[in-house]
Amino acid sequence: MFDIAIIGAGVAGSYIARECSRYQFKVALIDGESDVGNQISMANSAIVHAGFDAPSNKLKGKFNAAGCIMYGKVCEDLDVPFNRCGSLVVAHDEFEMLKLHELYKNGLQNGVPGMQILFQKEVHEMEENLADDICGALYAPDAGVVSPFELVVKLAENAVDNGVELFLDTVITDIENKEDYFLLKSNNQEFKAKIVINAAGIYADDVYEMVGDPYFELLARKGQYFIFDKEVGDLVNTVIFPCPSEKGKGILVAPTVHGNLLIGPDANPTEKGDISTTQNELNNIKITAAKNVPVIKENFGKIIRNYAGTRNTPIKAEFTTTDGDFIIEESPVKKFVNVAGYESPGLTSIPAVSFYVLNEIILPICRRENIEIKENPNFNPKNKKHIYFNDLSSEEKQELIKENPKYGKVICRCETITEGEIIDTIHRSAGAKSVKGVKKRCRAGMGRCQGGFCSPRVVEILSRELDIPMDEVSYDKKKKSYILNGKTKVVDSNE
Amino acid sequence: MNKVYDTVVLGGGPAGLAAAVEAKKAGAQDVLILERDRELGGILNQCIHNGFGLHTFNEQLTGPEYAERFIDMVKDLNIPYELDTMVLDLEDKGEVKRIHTINEEDGYNIIDTKSVILTMGCRERTSGAIGIPGYRPAGIFTAGTAQRYINMEGYMAGKKVVILGSGDIGLIMARRMTLEGAEVEAVCEIMPYSNGLTRNIVQCLDDYDIPLKLSHTITFIHGKDRIEGVTIQKVDEKLQPIAGTEEYIPCDTLLLSVGLIPENEISRKAGVEIDKRTNGPVVSELRETSIPGVFAAGNVVQVHDLVDFVSEEAGLAGKGAAKFIQNNLSDNISFTTETDNNLSYVIPQEIALDNVEDAVTFYMRVRNVAENKVINAYFGDKKIATKRGRKFVPAEMINFKIPKSKLEGYEGKLRFVLEDK
């Protein structure tokens, strides 16, 4: 019997699991994918928002600025790349300048520190590649960029190191409310749990319907993006937002935490699970992004990848689509907690949301239901240091290779990722089991050749380290996203 | 004090091997080859088909056989090489060039040398770079990656294949996968002409009844986990997909053969001037780059279609490096080169005639198929030479050899122009 079962190992589920591991609860973290953080947490803008645009009367406004402030500490503890590079919302005319003042006021209410309204000269001094007609901006120094998939991986790793049990490739198919506990059925096994936390992302409404009468619905809204080569990663130094509209924060231009350039997203309703990119929308993103940073036009040849992700926008009876708030509460079904409609600024808010879920929802339920609350004396908030070989000094490199020669072998040429780093990511808790898993954790295959050179080597390393045949190594999902299918015609040398 | 090499060659593929051999023969004493893979030979090792060496050895060799000829020469000349060694950085320290390397045995190493030859080769353009819309499932490979899986690792990469791009590696792989029992449904080429050598179209597609769909591209990738199919579409003269021509082809594998890009990360970081047209270093007649003592040859300079010409170019670089360390290399530039808009580039970009023995071979490509045309070389209004050919196609590199005698006595720019016969 688990004390707590968490459905969904994205950023919300994994963070809450890690927070729960501060106590001696028996926790199951369950996901249908073959890796943690593989859906919404995998494909998004990777921005830690300062918190000036979230409405102050909503949960979004309550958690955003606090979450942003908490990011520094958690990324340090978990050894996740995070860069507080600041953000600019740019204005092209007086009307948009007025909008900036509204955002500024809202930001003050939300407790966003250090904001400034900048005028033409200051903005252009700060970012030399902005369009000439930009006449001002709202600067928020605390905004930043993070690696969202590395964050989820490290959260899950830390959770597992602190006692959480992780179940992947496990799709919850039915939930029975047995009053004393919930019985969760899946494609693999059954789970009994006293408390269930539904953090199933875009599928959270479907999961809730397994136990209760629907009271919210999630609308998938797709956003598409481009990633540019690191060669042009310094075209901007801060996150550049257009003035927000009713559709959302708009198409941004941002440096990534690893030094690439990112543009996107748009926002269009779609079906759940649709993460395809489409030609017209991709073209629009290019055009729109170039309105704020025109120099991008000359650099479309430096694009190395496009991708799409979905937001899970809540439609609750009393809300419209666009001002829907997070749904974070013990649901009408007692002991069943929804963390749903968890769209932007969900990634930013999660440190604050997790603290809230644990202290204001889970612990009170435990007290009410006489579930034992005992602190975990062995809780360690820190992960084992991740070695980024390329960032080391030559002396440190020398030392490291002497200690472990595998760090002397570069597998991914574009990002300079060594075999030592890849092996490390495979053998950590919640470690990599697939080529994409390796890519998410240590960037092998993330560079300009997109795995052309290194993927055969990575397959070989996974095969050896996991002790499975080469043709059982998958790109992502076990079996379904196979890479190789059988051996070539074999010539028997003994014939 | 540390040892200072005469010449260090970055890359042990066909260009590196030939450059090292020639440098040693021309008088460089301490030559060293650095190779990041586990054996010498580079991409030739996975090119198990034949057709290599017609120009160099007057016979048809497989890729590994061609490599072996040069590896034997390297061994006969006692040229040392380091395998599994990655060059992290190249620094120009004036008199010496400093190379930072790592490998499992020696760890982090610094190698000083008087001259360097860049022979890092090229890499394939990816699906991300060409931005095909749709999903991003498993089963999409660059042709070279699939070739490695099949020829080096002994595993099949799929059973029902569509190939985008008619570059030579794609054509070779169409035949290779067919021979391994896969069905190749189609080769789509966005241009109205093929980007591969004619002999490869005949021997790899026609002989196996594989359709080559010219003026077609892939406009959507289907399949969330493993690729399940592609939508292909005809394109207009501006290469834009034509609505209504969509066709769905089920497949479990997509191979991309959509171009090669010279790998100049190290060159760029070192400050070598790069020609935007070739994506390779600006080079002289003996393939010296903008940094004195740093030479470059092979696919790092320009993407070749025949390895024989890679070897030939590398020989020039080897000779140049040997002359450089013997203080025998003239830096007295006689003239530079340029082209009209019908030609996409010309190599070399600078010529010091003092370093030329009897002729200079200029390499170039046409942008579009050109029939009944010639390429003329001019100094000002003065036509000094003409290159004739039945037909010029972008897929085939043109080599235009001009005797030294015809180049003497001019300065300024040598201009190559595509003109009517």
Side-chain angles (χ1 to χ4, degrees):
Chain A
M1 173 80 75
F2 287 95
D3 294 309
I4 303 166
I6 301 171
I7 304 171
V11 74
S14 300
Y15 209 126
I16 293 167
R18 185 235 188 194
E19 287 309 290
C20 289
S21 70
R22 292 175 187 274
Y23 292 86
Q24 294 182 37
F25 295 127
K26 191 169 159 59
V27 181
L29 178 60
I30 306 164
D31 202 289
E33 294 278 312
S34 296
D35 198 0
V36 299
N38 226 22
Q39 293 197 359
I40 301 171
S41 303
M42 174 75 204
N44 53 66
S45 305
I47 306 294
V48 174
H49 297 280
F52 46 77
D53 42 8
S56 56
N57 58 342
K58 301 267 165 67
L59 290 176
K60 287 181 178 179
K62 172 174 171 172
F63 292 125
N64 185 338
C68 179
I69 291 164
M70 292 166 81
Y71 249 79
K73 171 88 170 83
V74 70
C75 287
E76 195 192 312
D77 277 351
L78 298 176
D79 202 10
V80 173
F82 170 56
N83 175 12
R84 238 183 241 288
C85 57
S87 70
L88 292 171
V89 182
V90 296
H92 291 259
D93 54 38
E94 283 164 34
F95 177 76
E96 290 191 342
M97 282 303 281
L98 279 176
K99 182 79 195 166
L100 296 188
H101 281 91
E102 280 172 32
L103 289 174
Y104 180 84
K105 263 192 250 164
N106 190 60
L108 287 181
Q109 282 191 346
N110 287 350
V112 178
M115 289 179 300
Q116 273 176 280
I117 300 265
L118 304 179
F119 293 96
Q120 193 152 16
K121 191 161 165 267
E122 298 164 293
V123 182
H124 290 275
E125 273 170 11
M126 200 163 177
E127 287 286 358
E128 56 180 19
N129 288 321
L130 291 184
D132 292 340
D133 67 331
I134 287 171
C135 55
L138 172 64
Y139 174 55
D142 269 23
V145 291
V146 70
S147 168
F149 31 90
E150 281 168 90
L151 174 64
V152 182
V153 162
K154 296 294 172 69
L155 283 165
E157 176 184 331
N158 191 244
V160 171
D161 283 345
N162 284 308
V164 170
E165 294 171 56
L166 177 64
F167 300 88
L168 294 171
D169 296 303
T170 304
V171 182
I172 300 297
T173 49
D174 193 26
I175 303 172
E176 285 175 29
N177 186 349
K178 303 275 193 189
E179 299 308 322
D180 288 344
Y181 64 92
F182 295 94
L183 178 66
L184 283 64
K185 296 182 175 172
S186 80
N187 56 327
N188 288 330
Q189 64 182 99
E190 293 185 346
F191 301 85
K192 289 178 183 171
K194 295 174 191 162
I195 300 171
V196 174
I197 298 170
N198 173 15
I202 194 72
Y203 303 106
D205 51 355
D206 304 326
V207 167
Y208 184 70
E209 274 186 49
M210 294 177 190
V211 285
D213 293 330
Y215 72 104
F216 65 92
E217 197 187 330
L218 299 177
L219 171 71
R221 285 193 308 144
K222 185 160 73 175
Q224 305 189 30
Y225 299 86
F226 288 105
I227 296 282
F228 290 68
D229 194 292
K230 284 184 174 175
E231 231 178 274
V232 291
D234 57 359
L235 287 183
V236 297
N237 310 306
T238 50
V239 181
I240 312 294
F241 294 103
C243 243
S245 72
E246 67 280 1
K247 277 181 98 177
K249 295 186 196 71
I251 289 169
L252 57 88
V253 179
T256 73
V257 76
H258 292 292
N260 299 84
L261 183 80
L262 174 150
I263 65 172
D266 56 354
N268 290 299
T270 187
E271 284 162 28
K272 290 181 180 185
D274 171 17
I275 49 159
S276 64
T277 56
T278 49
Q279 192 67 60
N280 287 343
E281 284 67 25
L282 289 174
N283 288 344
N284 276 334
I285 286 165
K286 285 185 185 173
I287 294 165
T288 314
K291 281 183 188 159
N292 288 333
V293 186
V295 65
I296 283 177
K297 268 186 267 181
E298 295 151 36
N299 291 289
F300 291 147
K302 303 273 162 61
I303 289 170
I304 60 172
R305 192 166 178 85
N306 63 52
Y307 68 93
T310 45
R311 309 167 182 81
N312 53 139
T313 302
I315 314 170
K316 224 172 162 181
E318 67 267 35
F319 293 125
T320 65
T321 308
T322 45
D323 66 355
D325 202 4
F326 296 151
I327 298 158
I328 301 172
E329 61 203 8
E330 184 176 10
S331 75
V333 177
K334 290 291 144 201
K335 294 177 285 173
F336 194 97
V337 178
N338 283 324
V339 180
Y342 202 62
E343 59 174 353
S344 181
L347 178 64
T348 311
S349 305
I350 195 61
V353 165
S354 299
F355 184 86
Y356 173 84
V357 169
L358 176 67
N359 292 288
E360 304 294 330
I361 302 177
I362 298 175
L363 295 183
I365 292 175
C366 291
R367 288 184 198 109
R368 190 184 75 209
E369 305 288 336
N370 292 321
I371 298 167
E372 192 182 20
I373 302 173
K374 247 166 72 183
E375 279 192 34
N376 176 0
N378 301 319
F379 177 77
N380 179 0
K382 289 183 188 290
N383 277 344
K384 189 176 83 181
K385 269 282 179 207
H386 185 122
I387 297 166
Y388 298 93
F389 180 82
N390 207 20
D391 295 346
L392 302 178
S393 69
S394 45
E395 292 76 27
E396 289 169 323
K397 283 176 181 158
Q398 176 69 286
E399 200 54 39
L400 181 63
I401 300 169
K402 214 181 280 168
E403 219 172 273
N404 181 353
K406 293 287 181 201
Y407 285 92
K409 193 165 183 181
V410 173
I411 301 295
C412 168
R413 303 171 185 179
C414 304
E415 299 286 313
T416 319
I417 309 298
T418 61
E419 185 165 0
E421 290 163 272
I422 295 173
I423 293 173
D424 178 54
T425 65
I426 295 171
H427 293 302
R428 281 171 178 261
S429 303
K433 300 275 182 290
S434 65
V435 172
K436 187 170 162 189
V438 167
K439 181 177 166 183
K440 279 159 71 170
R441 285 165 176 79
C442 69
R443 298 189 60 71
M446 281 276 191
R448 50 178 69 103
C449 95
Q450 289 285 298
F453 284 117
C454 70
S455 59
R457 288 293 186 82
V458 172
V459 168
E460 205 180 300
I461 296 168
L462 280 162
S463 157
R464 185 186 71 214
E465 297 296 320
L466 298 174
D467 197 19
I468 54 173
M470 288 272 285
D471 50 357
E472 274 180 32
V473 175
S474 67
Y475 172 67
D476 182 10
K477 222 177 244 171
K478 232 184 206 168
K479 292 200 173 79
K480 283 182 164 176
S481 55
Y482 65 91
I483 297 168
L484 303 171
N485 55 357
K487 295 211 170 187
T488 50
K489 293 175 183 170
V490 180
V491 180
D492 191 340
S493 54
N494 295 326
E495 266 176 23
Chain B
M1 223 189 80
N2 272 344
K3 171 172 183 167
V4 178
Y5 282 89
D6 284 340
T7 303
V8 176
V9 180
L10 309 193
L17 294 170
V21 165
E22 194 54 41
K24 182 98 188 199
K25 280 186 182 167
Q29 299 297 318
D30 278 318
V31 180
L32 172 69
I33 302 172
L34 301 175
E35 168 55 43
R36 56 191 161 193
D37 218 323
R38 47 194 148 192
E39 54 194 332
L40 291 175
I43 209 73
L44 286 173
N45 291 324
Q46 66 183 54
C47 300
I48 63 172
H49 52 284
N50 72 353
F52 299 91
L54 273 172
H55 296 258
T56 314
F57 300 112
N58 287 319
E59 55 181 312
Q60 290 233 30
L61 303 173
T62 64
E65 283 169 342
Y66 186 94
E68 203 182 348
R69 298 271 171 116
F70 279 92
I71 294 170
D72 287 346
M73 292 183 225
V74 163
K75 288 184 175 160
D76 288 346
L77 290 166
N78 292 315
I79 298 170
Y81 53 89
E82 287 181 14
L83 300 178
D84 281 316
T85 299
M86 184 79 184
V87 173
L88 298 179
D89 252 319
L90 166 65
E91 280 181 282
D92 175 23
K93 299 230 160 216
E95 287 286 292
V96 296
K97 322 296 166 202
R98 178 161 289 177
I99 301 165
H100 299 252
T101 70
I102 56 164
N103 66 32
E104 289 183 85
E105 276 168 33
D106 312 321
Y108 195 99
N109 226 343
I110 287 176
I111 299 168
D112 285 342
T113 178
K114 292 176 201 156
S115 70
V116 172
I117 306 178
L118 307 171
T119 52
M120 292 86 77
C122 60
R123 64 165 179 273
E124 298 176 279
R125 279 181 82 201
T126 65
S127 64
I130 57 173
I132 310 172
Y135 288 88
R136 298 161 296 286
I140 303 169
F141 305 90
T142 55
T145 304
Q147 191 178 43
R148 183 177 178 113
Y149 276 126
I150 295 170
N151 293 349
M152 308 282 282
E153 320 281 349
Y155 283 91
M156 272 304 273
K159 295 200 163 101
K160 214 172 165 63
V161 186
V162 171
I163 299 176
L164 177 63
S166 60
D168 288 308
I169 316 170
L171 301 176
I172 295 288
M173 286 311 293
R175 175 175 65 184
R176 184 77 186 101
M177 293 198 74
T178 306
L179 293 175
E180 284 294 341
E183 286 169 58
V184 179
E185 302 292 317
V187 175
C188 295
E189 169 59 57
I190 193 167
M191 303 306 286
Y193 50 81
S194 158
N195 267 313
L197 298 172
T198 311
R199 72 166 194 222
N200 284 334
I201 303 275
V202 175
Q203 294 171 7
C204 300
L205 299 188
D206 298 353
D207 287 359
Y208 299 90
D209 291 327
I210 297 167
L212 172 61
K213 288 175 172 285
L214 297 175
S215 296
H216 275 77
T217 192
I218 291 176
T219 51
F220 202 85
I221 292 170
H222 303 262
K224 287 179 187 171
D225 298 316
R226 175 83 184 193
I227 186 167
E228 289 164 10
V230 292
T231 299
I232 69 166
Q233 253 174 294
K234 221 173 146 53
V235 298
D236 60 22
E237 304 87 69
K238 287 181 181 160
L239 307 182
Q240 293 306 307
I242 302 169
T245 62
E246 292 88 349
E247 184 188 340
Y248 178 77
I249 306 183
C251 63
D252 63 18
T253 304
L254 171 61
L255 298 192
L256 300 166
S257 180
V258 290
L260 299 167
I261 303 164
E263 282 220 282
N264 278 294
E265 281 70 22
I266 294 169
S267 333
R268 276 201 184 89
K269 266 207 295 191
V272 169
E273 188 192 340
I274 302 291
D275 186 331
K276 274 193 175 160
R277 299 170 301 175
T278 53
N279 279 316
V282 170
V283 289
S284 70
E285 71 300 323
L286 290 182
R287 301 304 185 265
E288 191 175 28
T289 68
S290 62
I291 300 180
V294 176
F295 297 78
N299 284 350
V300 82
V301 172
Q302 55 175 331
V303 175
H304 294 66
D305 22 74
L306 292 180
V307 71
D308 304 75
F309 296 134
V310 168
S311 304
E312 188 179 298
E313 181 170 60
L316 294 174
K319 208 170 279 173
K323 272 178 175 275
F324 177 83
I325 55 166
Q326 295 166 87
N327 289 320
N328 207 4
L329 187 74
S330 168
D331 56 3
N332 178 23
I333 301 293
S334 314
F335 57 87
T336 59
T337 59
E338 62 177 16
T339 68
D340 70 353
N341 259 337
N342 296 312
L343 299 167
S344 53
Y345 71 87
V346 56
I347 296 282
Q349 291 91 336
E350 296 176 345
I351 285 91
L353 279 179
D354 296 346
N355 299 324
V356 175
E357 277 164 30
D358 47 6
V360 181
T361 303
F362 296 92
Y363 297 98
M364 62 200 74
R365 282 178 198 268
V366 286
R367 283 191 199 278
N368 293 299
V369 176
E371 282 180 279
N372 296 317
K373 298 270 184 187
V374 292
I375 296 168
N376 289 319
Y378 291 92
F379 276 109
D381 296 338
K382 170 89 177 154
K383 191 198 292 181
I384 59 147
T386 298
K387 172 77 184 177
R388 292 168 210 286
R390 255 189 313 139
K391 183 176 166 187
F392 299 114
V393 294
E396 294 182 20
M397 196 171 81
I398 299 158
N399 39 5
F400 187 171
K401 192 170 177 178
I402 304 180
K404 185 177 180 180
S405 57
K406 288 193 178 178
L407 296 165
E408 279 168 333
Y410 298 100
E411 54 184 32
K413 288 201 182 289
L414 176 62
R415 182 173 172 80
F416 294 91
V417 184
L418 184 74
E419 290 179 321
D420 290 333
K421 259 183 189 164

